Amino acid sequence: MEIRTVGTSALMIEVDDPLAWFAALDAERTAGRLDVTDIVPGAHTVLLDGVSSVTSLAATLRSWPPPSEVPAAADDLDIPVAFDGPDLGQVATLVGASEEAVVATLTSVAFRVAFGGFAPGFAYLSGLPWSVPRLDSPRPRVPAGSVALAAEFAGIYPTASPGGWQLVGRTDTVLFDIDRTPPALLTPGRTVRFVAA
């Protein structure tokens, strides 16, 4: 584990399994044994913000054993997807399979929300069995609800925005609603399955 100070009240830890560390740290915070405001997982890091003593917490973290596994999420979420994206054929070519086989694979995977980013409600879903390159040139506008692949992640655009991921389908599921608690539907650790609509 590598620990870096970020500003005056945050620590960034670089770890092998950020989602397991997020779950373990969040459990400690919930139990009142860890005094931090925010715990934010990333692809290879976890940020702890609102730390009262970064020196003390860094020393504590260095003595912790790494978490053994990511605990099972409390609830799975099925997301209906129409697999008619403009890049589905290109993805099939890239992975050496038919479009039908790509859809079958995507609907058989139990994705895990690894972390959020890019836009409110956007979640990076781990579990993709291939690494799919981004587009050479990003689209100026990707419609909200677009189901997309890039690198080792799947994701769903919560709002219309520019984007360079390969679009394989679409969903009407609302991913971010400021009046919902929490506003983001896809939170770290949650299991997500795509269901062909």
PDB file of all heavy atoms in Angstrom, residues 33-62:
ATOM      1  N   ARG A  33     -15.557   3.962  14.134  1.00  0.00           N
ATOM      2  CA  ARG A  33     -14.136   3.770  14.443  1.00  0.00           C
ATOM      3  C   ARG A  33     -13.206   4.490  13.471  1.00  0.00           C
ATOM      4  O   ARG A  33     -11.991   4.450  13.621  1.00  0.00           O
ATOM      5  CB  ARG A  33     -13.811   2.273  14.445  1.00  0.00           C
ATOM      6  CG  ARG A  33     -14.513   1.506  15.557  1.00  0.00           C
ATOM      7  CD  ARG A  33     -14.068   0.059  15.618  1.00  0.00           C
ATOM      8  NE  ARG A  33     -14.447  -0.694  14.451  1.00  0.00           N
ATOM      9  CZ  ARG A  33     -15.541  -1.441  14.351  1.00  0.00           C
ATOM     10  NH1 ARG A  33     -16.382  -1.516  15.379  1.00  0.00           N
ATOM     11  NH2 ARG A  33     -15.807  -2.118  13.253  1.00  0.00           N
ATOM     12  N   LEU A  34     -13.789   5.154  12.481  1.00  0.00           N
ATOM     13  CA  LEU A  34     -12.993   5.886  11.500  1.00  0.00           C
ATOM     14  C   LEU A  34     -13.652   7.235  11.269  1.00  0.00           C
ATOM     15  O   LEU A  34     -14.797   7.309  10.805  1.00  0.00           O
ATOM     16  CB  LEU A  34     -12.919   5.094  10.182  1.00  0.00           C
ATOM     17  CG  LEU A  34     -12.093   5.693   9.054  1.00  0.00           C
ATOM     18  CD1 LEU A  34     -10.619   5.802   9.462  1.00  0.00           C
ATOM     19  CD2 LEU A  34     -12.225   4.855   7.794  1.00  0.00           C
ATOM     20  N   ASP A  35     -12.940   8.298  11.621  1.00  0.00           N
ATOM     21  CA  ASP A  35     -13.497   9.644  11.537  1.00  0.00           C
ATOM     22  C   ASP A  35     -13.046  10.314  10.240  1.00  0.00           C
ATOM     23  O   ASP A  35     -12.021  10.999  10.204  1.00  0.00           O
ATOM     24  CB  ASP A  35     -13.057  10.463  12.756  1.00  0.00           C
ATOM     25  CG  ASP A  35     -13.714  11.827  12.804  1.00  0.00           C
ATOM     26  OD1 ASP A  35     -14.751  12.010  12.139  1.00  0.00           O
ATOM     27  OD2 ASP A  35     -13.177  12.726  13.482  1.00  0.00           O
ATOM     28  N   VAL A  36     -13.803  10.078   9.177  1.00  0.00           N
ATOM     29  CA  VAL A  36     -13.568  10.726   7.888  1.00  0.00           C
ATOM     30  C   VAL A  36     -14.916  11.151   7.316  1.00  0.00           C
ATOM     31  O   VAL A  36     -15.950  10.571   7.634  1.00  0.00           O
ATOM     32  CB  VAL A  36     -12.838   9.808   6.881  1.00  0.00           C
ATOM     33  CG1 VAL A  36     -11.462   9.414   7.384  1.00  0.00           C
ATOM     34  CG2 VAL A  36     -13.657   8.581   6.556  1.00  0.00           C
ATOM     35  N   THR A  37     -14.888  12.173   6.479  1.00  0.00           N
ATOM     36  CA  THR A  37     -16.127  12.669   5.880  1.00  0.00           C
ATOM     37  C   THR A  37     -16.523  11.861   4.653  1.00  0.00           C
ATOM     38  O   THR A  37     -17.674  11.459   4.510  1.00  0.00           O
ATOM     39  CB  THR A  37     -15.960  14.154   5.475  1.00  0.00           C
ATOM     40  OG1 THR A  37     -15.538  14.887   6.614  1.00  0.00           O
ATOM     41  CG2 THR A  37     -17.253  14.728   4.951  1.00  0.00           C
ATOM     42  N   ASP A  38     -15.550  11.620   3.771  1.00  0.00           N
ATOM     43  CA  ASP A  38     -15.836  10.925   2.519  1.00  0.00           C
ATOM     44  C   ASP A  38     -14.821   9.823   2.262  1.00  0.00           C
ATOM     45  O   ASP A  38     -13.631   9.983   2.565  1.00  0.00           O
ATOM     46  CB  ASP A  38     -15.800  11.888   1.328  1.00  0.00           C
ATOM     47  CG  ASP A  38     -16.966  12.859   1.328  1.00  0.00           C
ATOM     48  OD1 ASP A  38     -18.118  12.399   1.452  1.00  0.00           O
ATOM     49  OD2 ASP A  38     -16.721  14.075   1.211  1.00  0.00           O
ATOM     50  N   ILE A  39     -15.285   8.727   1.668  1.00  0.00           N
ATOM     51  CA  ILE A  39     -14.424   7.637   1.216  1.00  0.00           C
ATOM     52  C   ILE A  39     -14.788   7.404  -0.244  1.00  0.00           C
ATOM     53  O   ILE A  39     -15.925   7.049  -0.559  1.00  0.00           O
ATOM     54  CB  ILE A  39     -14.638   6.350   2.033  1.00  0.00           C
ATOM     55  CG1 ILE A  39     -14.444   6.633   3.526  1.00  0.00           C
ATOM     56  CG2 ILE A  39     -13.699   5.251   1.561  1.00  0.00           C
ATOM     57  CD1 ILE A  39     -14.876   5.482   4.424  1.00  0.00           C
ATOM     58  N   VAL A  40     -13.812   7.637  -1.129  1.00  0.00           N
ATOM     59  CA  VAL A  40     -14.089   7.608  -2.563  1.00  0.00           C
ATOM     60  C   VAL A  40     -13.169   6.606  -3.247  1.00  0.00           C
ATOM     61  O   VAL A  40     -11.969   6.835  -3.360  1.00  0.00           O
ATOM     62  CB  VAL A  40     -13.896   9.006  -3.191  1.00  0.00           C
ATOM     63  CG1 VAL A  40     -14.284   8.984  -4.668  1.00  0.00           C
ATOM     64  CG2 VAL A  40     -14.692  10.054  -2.430  1.00  0.00           C
ATOM     65  N   PRO A  41     -13.725   5.464  -3.728  1.00  0.00           N
ATOM     66  CA  PRO A  41     -12.885   4.503  -4.437  1.00  0.00           C
ATOM     67  C   PRO A  41     -12.600   4.969  -5.862  1.00  0.00           C
ATOM     68  O   PRO A  41     -13.396   5.687  -6.467  1.00  0.00           O
ATOM     69  CB  PRO A  41     -13.729   3.226  -4.439  1.00  0.00           C
ATOM     70  CG  PRO A  41     -15.138   3.722  -4.396  1.00  0.00           C
ATOM     71  CD  PRO A  41     -15.109   5.000  -3.599  1.00  0.00           C
ATOM     72  N   GLY A  42     -11.461   4.541  -6.392  1.00  0.00           N
ATOM     73  CA  GLY A  42     -11.091   4.799  -7.775  1.00  0.00           C
ATOM     74  C   GLY A  42     -10.629   3.496  -8.405  1.00  0.00           C
ATOM     75  O   GLY A  42     -10.781   2.421  -7.830  1.00  0.00           O
ATOM     76  N   ALA A  43     -10.024   3.589  -9.582  1.00  0.00           N
ATOM     77  CA  ALA A  43      -9.578   2.385 -10.286  1.00  0.00           C
ATOM     78  C   ALA A  43      -8.469   1.664  -9.533  1.00  0.00           C
ATOM     79  O   ALA A  43      -8.431   0.435  -9.496  1.00  0.00           O
ATOM     80  CB  ALA A  43      -9.107   2.748 -11.691  1.00  0.00           C
ATOM     81  N   HIS A  44      -7.572   2.418  -8.896  1.00  0.00           N
ATOM     82  CA  HIS A  44      -6.446   1.818  -8.166  1.00  0.00           C
ATOM     83  C   HIS A  44      -6.218   2.473  -6.815  1.00  0.00           C
ATOM     84  O   HIS A  44      -5.215   2.193  -6.155  1.00  0.00           O
ATOM     85  CB  HIS A  44      -5.166   1.922  -9.000  1.00  0.00           C
ATOM     86  CG  HIS A  44      -5.300   1.329 -10.362  1.00  0.00           C
ATOM     87  ND1 HIS A  44      -5.337  -0.029 -10.574  1.00  0.00           N
ATOM     88  CD2 HIS A  44      -5.454   1.908 -11.574  1.00  0.00           C
ATOM     89  CE1 HIS A  44      -5.486  -0.259 -11.869  1.00  0.00           C
ATOM     90  NE2 HIS A  44      -5.569   0.896 -12.493  1.00  0.00           N
ATOM     91  N   THR A  45      -7.123   3.345  -6.410  1.00  0.00           N
ATOM     92  CA  THR A  45      -6.922   4.141  -5.196  1.00  0.00           C
ATOM     93  C   THR A  45      -8.207   4.248  -4.388  1.00  0.00           C
ATOM     94  O   THR A  45      -9.295   3.956  -4.879  1.00  0.00           O
ATOM     95  CB  THR A  45      -6.471   5.575  -5.552  1.00  0.00           C
ATOM     96  OG1 THR A  45      -7.499   6.188  -6.360  1.00  0.00           O
ATOM     97  CG2 THR A  45      -5.145   5.586  -6.287  1.00  0.00           C
ATOM     98  N   VAL A  46      -8.046   4.702  -3.143  1.00  0.00           N
ATOM     99  CA  VAL A  46      -9.172   5.108  -2.305  1.00  0.00           C
ATOM    100  C   VAL A  46      -8.775   6.437  -1.663  1.00  0.00           C
ATOM    101  O   VAL A  46      -7.689   6.558  -1.082  1.00  0.00           O
ATOM    102  CB  VAL A  46      -9.494   4.069  -1.205  1.00  0.00           C
ATOM    103  CG1 VAL A  46     -10.661   4.550  -0.348  1.00  0.00           C
ATOM    104  CG2 VAL A  46      -9.807   2.712  -1.811  1.00  0.00           C
ATOM    105  N   LEU A  47      -9.646   7.430  -1.783  1.00  0.00           N
ATOM    106  CA  LEU A  47      -9.418   8.735  -1.178  1.00  0.00           C
ATOM    107  C   LEU A  47     -10.222   8.826   0.107  1.00  0.00           C
ATOM    108  O   LEU A  47     -11.418   8.510   0.120  1.00  0.00           O
ATOM    109  CB  LEU A  47      -9.849   9.847  -2.133  1.00  0.00           C
ATOM    110  CG  LEU A  47      -9.765  11.272  -1.572  1.00  0.00           C
ATOM    111  CD1 LEU A  47      -8.311  11.707  -1.469  1.00  0.00           C
ATOM    112  CD2 LEU A  47     -10.563  12.239  -2.427  1.00  0.00           C
ATOM    113  N   LEU A  48      -9.551   9.228   1.173  1.00  0.00           N
ATOM    114  CA  LEU A  48     -10.226   9.480   2.446  1.00  0.00           C
ATOM    115  C   LEU A  48     -10.136  10.982   2.695  1.00  0.00           C
ATOM    116  O   LEU A  48      -9.041  11.524   2.857  1.00  0.00           O
ATOM    117  CB  LEU A  48      -9.559   8.706   3.584  1.00  0.00           C
ATOM    118  CG  LEU A  48      -9.666   7.191   3.442  1.00  0.00           C
ATOM    119  CD1 LEU A  48      -8.333   6.624   3.015  1.00  0.00           C
ATOM    120  CD2 LEU A  48     -10.137   6.578   4.711  1.00  0.00           C
ATOM    121  N   ASP A  49     -11.289  11.645   2.728  1.00  0.00           N
ATOM    122  CA  ASP A  49     -11.323  13.094   2.862  1.00  0.00           C
ATOM    123  C   ASP A  49     -11.992  13.475   4.184  1.00  0.00           C
ATOM    124  O   ASP A  49     -12.765  12.712   4.748  1.00  0.00           O
ATOM    125  CB  ASP A  49     -12.084  13.705   1.690  1.00  0.00           C
ATOM    126  CG  ASP A  49     -11.833  15.200   1.543  1.00  0.00           C
ATOM    127  OD1 ASP A  49     -10.926  15.736   2.208  1.00  0.00           O
ATOM    128  OD2 ASP A  49     -12.560  15.835   0.750  1.00  0.00           O
ATOM    129  N   GLY A  50     -11.665  14.679   4.656  1.00  0.00           N
ATOM    130  CA  GLY A  50     -12.205  15.135   5.925  1.00  0.00           C
ATOM    131  C   GLY A  50     -11.550  14.434   7.092  1.00  0.00           C
ATOM    132  O   GLY A  50     -12.198  14.100   8.085  1.00  0.00           O
ATOM    133  N   VAL A  51     -10.242  14.212   6.988  1.00  0.00           N
ATOM    134  CA  VAL A  51      -9.461  13.512   8.014  1.00  0.00           C
ATOM    135  C   VAL A  51      -8.970  14.533   9.031  1.00  0.00           C
ATOM    136  O   VAL A  51      -8.368  15.538   8.662  1.00  0.00           O
ATOM    137  CB  VAL A  51      -8.260  12.777   7.366  1.00  0.00           C
ATOM    138  CG1 VAL A  51      -7.403  12.108   8.410  1.00  0.00           C
ATOM    139  CG2 VAL A  51      -8.752  11.778   6.329  1.00  0.00           C
ATOM    140  N   SER A  52      -9.199  14.275  10.315  1.00  0.00           N
ATOM    141  CA  SER A  52      -8.767  15.235  11.339  1.00  0.00           C
ATOM    142  C   SER A  52      -7.255  15.212  11.535  1.00  0.00           C
ATOM    143  O   SER A  52      -6.637  16.248  11.743  1.00  0.00           O
ATOM    144  CB  SER A  52      -9.488  14.980  12.661  1.00  0.00           C
ATOM    145  OG  SER A  52      -9.287  13.641  13.076  1.00  0.00           O
ATOM    146  N   SER A  53      -6.637  14.044  11.466  1.00  0.00           N
ATOM    147  CA  SER A  53      -5.182  13.933  11.604  1.00  0.00           C
ATOM    148  C   SER A  53      -4.652  12.961  10.557  1.00  0.00           C
ATOM    149  O   SER A  53      -4.744  11.744  10.724  1.00  0.00           O
ATOM    150  CB  SER A  53      -4.794  13.450  13.009  1.00  0.00           C
ATOM    151  OG  SER A  53      -3.405  13.169  13.051  1.00  0.00           O
ATOM    152  N   VAL A  54      -4.096  13.528   9.469  1.00  0.00           N
ATOM    153  CA  VAL A  54      -3.613  12.658   8.391  1.00  0.00           C
ATOM    154  C   VAL A  54      -2.430  11.805   8.857  1.00  0.00           C
ATOM    155  O   VAL A  54      -2.298  10.646   8.458  1.00  0.00           O
ATOM    156  CB  VAL A  54      -3.241  13.471   7.129  1.00  0.00           C
ATOM    157  CG1 VAL A  54      -4.480  14.088   6.519  1.00  0.00           C
ATOM    158  CG2 VAL A  54      -2.204  14.526   7.416  1.00  0.00           C
ATOM    159  N   THR A  55      -1.598  12.343   9.735  1.00  0.00           N
ATOM    160  CA  THR A  55      -0.438  11.585  10.225  1.00  0.00           C
ATOM    161  C   THR A  55      -0.881  10.377  11.039  1.00  0.00           C
ATOM    162  O   THR A  55      -0.399   9.258  10.836  1.00  0.00           O
ATOM    163  CB  THR A  55       0.473  12.485  11.085  1.00  0.00           C
ATOM    164  OG1 THR A  55       0.839  13.630  10.324  1.00  0.00           O
ATOM    165  CG2 THR A  55       1.710  11.755  11.525  1.00  0.00           C
ATOM    166  N   SER A  56      -1.834  10.579  11.928  1.00  0.00           N
ATOM    167  CA  SER A  56      -2.329   9.490  12.760  1.00  0.00           C
ATOM    168  C   SER A  56      -3.040   8.428  11.921  1.00  0.00           C
ATOM    169  O   SER A  56      -2.831   7.226  12.100  1.00  0.00           O
ATOM    170  CB  SER A  56      -3.275  10.047  13.827  1.00  0.00           C
ATOM    171  OG  SER A  56      -3.870   9.012  14.556  1.00  0.00           O
ATOM    172  N   LEU A  57      -3.891   8.864  10.978  1.00  0.00           N
ATOM    173  CA  LEU A  57      -4.618   7.908  10.157  1.00  0.00           C
ATOM    174  C   LEU A  57      -3.662   7.143   9.249  1.00  0.00           C
ATOM    175  O   LEU A  57      -3.817   5.931   9.055  1.00  0.00           O
ATOM    176  CB  LEU A  57      -5.697   8.598   9.330  1.00  0.00           C
ATOM    177  CG  LEU A  57      -6.540   7.671   8.452  1.00  0.00           C
ATOM    178  CD1 LEU A  57      -7.183   6.555   9.265  1.00  0.00           C
ATOM    179  CD2 LEU A  57      -7.598   8.466   7.694  1.00  0.00           C
ATOM    180  N   ALA A  58      -2.656   7.801   8.708  1.00  0.00           N
ATOM    181  CA  ALA A  58      -1.684   7.108   7.851  1.00  0.00           C
ATOM    182  C   ALA A  58      -0.981   6.005   8.635  1.00  0.00           C
ATOM    183  O   ALA A  58      -0.796   4.895   8.136  1.00  0.00           O
ATOM    184  CB  ALA A  58      -0.674   8.105   7.289  1.00  0.00           C
ATOM    185  N   ALA A  59      -0.616   6.292   9.875  1.00  0.00           N
ATOM    186  CA  ALA A  59       0.036   5.273  10.703  1.00  0.00           C
ATOM    187  C   ALA A  59      -0.909   4.111  10.985  1.00  0.00           C
ATOM    188  O   ALA A  59      -0.516   2.939  10.945  1.00  0.00           O
ATOM    189  CB  ALA A  59       0.518   5.896  12.010  1.00  0.00           C
ATOM    190  N   THR A  60      -2.178   4.408  11.245  1.00  0.00           N
ATOM    191  CA  THR A  60      -3.168   3.368  11.493  1.00  0.00           C
ATOM    192  C   THR A  60      -3.353   2.487  10.261  1.00  0.00           C
ATOM    193  O   THR A  60      -3.378   1.257  10.364  1.00  0.00           O
ATOM    194  CB  THR A  60      -4.515   3.999  11.892  1.00  0.00           C
ATOM    195  OG1 THR A  60      -4.341   4.761  13.084  1.00  0.00           O
ATOM    196  CG2 THR A  60      -5.577   2.940  12.108  1.00  0.00           C
ATOM    197  N   LEU A  61      -3.463   3.108   9.098  1.00  0.00           N
ATOM    198  CA  LEU A  61      -3.676   2.350   7.860  1.00  0.00           C
ATOM    199  C   LEU A  61      -2.501   1.426   7.547  1.00  0.00           C
ATOM    200  O   LEU A  61      -2.691   0.324   7.045  1.00  0.00           O
ATOM    201  CB  LEU A  61      -3.920   3.300   6.686  1.00  0.00           C
ATOM    202  CG  LEU A  61      -5.245   4.056   6.699  1.00  0.00           C
ATOM    203  CD1 LEU A  61      -5.278   5.065   5.554  1.00  0.00           C
ATOM    204  CD2 LEU A  61      -6.421   3.103   6.606  1.00  0.00           C
ATOM    205  N   ARG A  62      -1.290   1.873   7.853  1.00  0.00           N
ATOM    206  CA  ARG A  62      -0.105   1.044   7.579  1.00  0.00           C
ATOM    207  C   ARG A  62      -0.112  -0.246   8.414  1.00  0.00           C
ATOM    208  O   ARG A  62       0.482  -1.239   8.026  1.00  0.00           O
ATOM    209  CB  ARG A  62       1.166   1.830   7.847  1.00  0.00           C
ATOM    210  CG  ARG A  62       1.494   2.814   6.750  1.00  0.00           C
ATOM    211  CD  ARG A  62       2.873   3.458   6.933  1.00  0.00           C
ATOM    212  NE  ARG A  62       3.106   4.412   5.870  1.00  0.00           N
ATOM    213  CZ  ARG A  62       2.815   5.704   5.917  1.00  0.00           C
ATOM    214  NH1 ARG A  62       2.259   6.190   7.019  1.00  0.00           N
ATOM    215  NH2 ARG A  62       3.060   6.501   4.903  1.00  0.00           N
TER     216      ARG A  62
END
